[in-house]
Amino acid sequence: MIIKGKKGGVRTSALALGLFALLLPACQQENQALDETEYQTPTTTEYQTPTTTAPAPGREPVTMTPGQETTAMPGQEMAATTENISSNPENFMGQMVTVRGDVKEIDTSSDTFLMDDDRFLTGEGILVINSSGEVFAIPNADEMQVQVTGEVRQFNLGDINTGYGLNLDPQLYSEYENQPAIVAESLALSPTPEQVSENPDLFYNRPIAIEGQFNEQLAPNAFTFNNDEVLVINADELQILPENQDIVVTGEVRPFDLAALQSEYNLNWDAELQQRMQDQYSNSLVLVADGIYPTVE
């Protein structure tokens, strides 16, 4: 920096040097900040706003970020999917998660099964241990999806057998040692509406989770979804997501019996709505909801 002056050249030069000394550190700090901002390498390509979801029956809501299969930026949460848990177990260890996916049984018991997600082609899967204390039969396992809620843990055969009173075969489970697993406290079948309508007896009196799109609000405590294929009794008037939003509804499926539903859930439908329901759904099934939440893409 050069400051010209006809008089007092020494003073002017000294002043210039003083100003230069003060400005140089500030300029260096600013350039360093710009360099760090410009060249900082993120660990994910995109981040979406987390949403709080209502998981399987009896579980607390889980805050999840939709649709991210790569590593999240520091301080951000990843979607709880089988792919993300398998690929980034450190992000989920010790957490309660709710995941849905396809089933691949690895033994003849109902104590464990492998779960993966056909949206991803990596072949990754995650071991699920049923700790609910109830038999979880999976009809048509090669075609049936399930939803599980439980804690992500590092699989240790000795701890699992001792802690949950199981007798898992060491030879069969040796490859899963120290790998991430989900110790499931609640499990639900996740059939398509077509699977339910074709074989309703498989799903009566069992918790299920059905995916679809919200269609029409029929009453404060009733709506249809999945192109009006499924009638939902929303007895607790849980929050409904916007029209055409992809959702999962958890609950129990039962035959449509207007009198029983009116009495059991105090629906208070007027005569016109009762007649409409009777005409349209008298030979159908109804899903009595205990949870509604957005689909994780």
Side-chain angles (χ1 to χ4, degrees):
M1 181 182 294
I2 300 175
I3 300 179
K4 295 182 179 179
K6 293 183 179 180
K7 296 181 180 180
V10 175
R11 286 183 60 190
T12 304
S13 298
L15 178 60
L17 290 173
L19 288 172
F20 185 80
L22 290 173
L23 292 172
L24 182 58
C27 292
Q28 290 175 335
Q29 291 176 0
E30 182 177 355
N31 290 336
Q32 182 180 359
L34 289 172
D35 289 343
E36 290 175 354
T37 301
E38 182 178 357
Y39 296 107
Q40 183 178 11
T41 302
T43 55
T44 187
T45 55
E46 183 180 357
Y47 176 70
Q48 299 178 16
T49 304
T51 57
T52 300
T53 67
R59 303 305 314 158
E60 293 297 324
V62 178
T63 300
M64 297 185 292
T65 304
Q68 296 304 301
E69 62 183 68
T70 53
T71 304
M73 291 284 286
Q76 297 175 347
E77 295 189 53
M78 300 178 67
T81 65
T82 57
E83 168 76 3
N84 283 340
I85 295 171
S86 297
S87 302
N88 303 274
E90 67 281 356
N91 288 25
F92 298 94
M93 284 296 174
Q95 293 186 20
M96 295 295 296
V97 299
T98 295
V99 296
R100 297 172 60 248
D102 300 311
V103 173
K104 181 180 179 182
E105 291 185 283
I106 64 171
D107 65 6
T108 57
S109 77
S110 60
D111 295 328
T112 66
F113 55 87
L114 273 182
M115 186 174 181
D116 60 19
D117 193 327
D118 62 4
R119 293 176 299 177
F120 305 110
L121 303 178
T122 62
E124 296 286 349
I126 189 163
L127 182 66
V128 176
I129 297 100
N130 177 10
S131 69
S132 67
E134 300 179 1
V135 174
F136 184 64
I138 308 173
N140 303 321
D142 56 341
E143 300 176 357
M144 182 67 62
Q145 287 200 328
V146 299
Q147 174 177 287
V148 302
T149 296
E151 181 185 356
V152 179
R153 291 181 50 177
Q154 187 179 58
F155 181 77
N156 178 281
L157 181 63
D159 291 346
I160 293 296
N161 278 339
T162 301
Y164 299 100
L166 303 179
N167 187 28
L168 304 182
D169 186 347
Q171 293 184 343
L172 186 60
Y173 291 86
S174 61
E175 64 182 290
Y176 301 102
E177 194 74 13
N178 298 322
Q179 297 300 310
I182 298 176
V183 179
E185 296 182 5
S186 65
L187 307 94
L189 299 176
S190 186
T192 65
E194 292 77 17
Q195 288 174 319
V196 175
S197 61
E198 290 171 3
N199 296 285
D201 291 343
L202 295 177
F203 306 101
Y204 287 151
N205 301 316
R206 296 194 61 177
I208 65 172
I210 298 183
E211 179 180 4
Q213 282 191 340
F214 172 80
N215 291 131
E216 181 183 4
Q217 184 82 44
L218 303 174
N221 47 27
F223 67 92
T224 61
F225 83 124
N226 205 57
N227 297 320
D228 293 330
E229 289 183 305
V230 181
L231 171 65
V232 178
I233 300 299
N234 185 15
D236 295 330
E237 297 188 20
L238 304 167
Q239 181 179 0
I240 304 297
L241 299 172
E243 186 174 357
N244 297 324
Q245 168 86 42
D246 289 328
I247 61 175
V248 174
V249 180
T250 62
E252 289 192 359
V253 66
R254 56 187 288 181
F256 181 83
D257 183 329
L258 181 60
L261 291 169
Q262 286 270 66
S263 173
E264 189 171 346
Y265 297 106
N266 192 29
L267 300 178
N268 293 319
W269 292 344
D270 60 30
E272 181 180 355
L273 181 57
Q274 289 185 45
Q275 188 61 52
R276 177 185 174 185
M277 294 292 197
Q278 190 68 47
D279 293 343
Q280 192 165 351
Y281 298 104
S282 59
N283 296 317
S284 302
L285 301 174
V286 59
L287 178 60
V288 180
D290 54 29
I292 302 170
Y293 61 97
T295 300
V296 177
E297 296 294 345

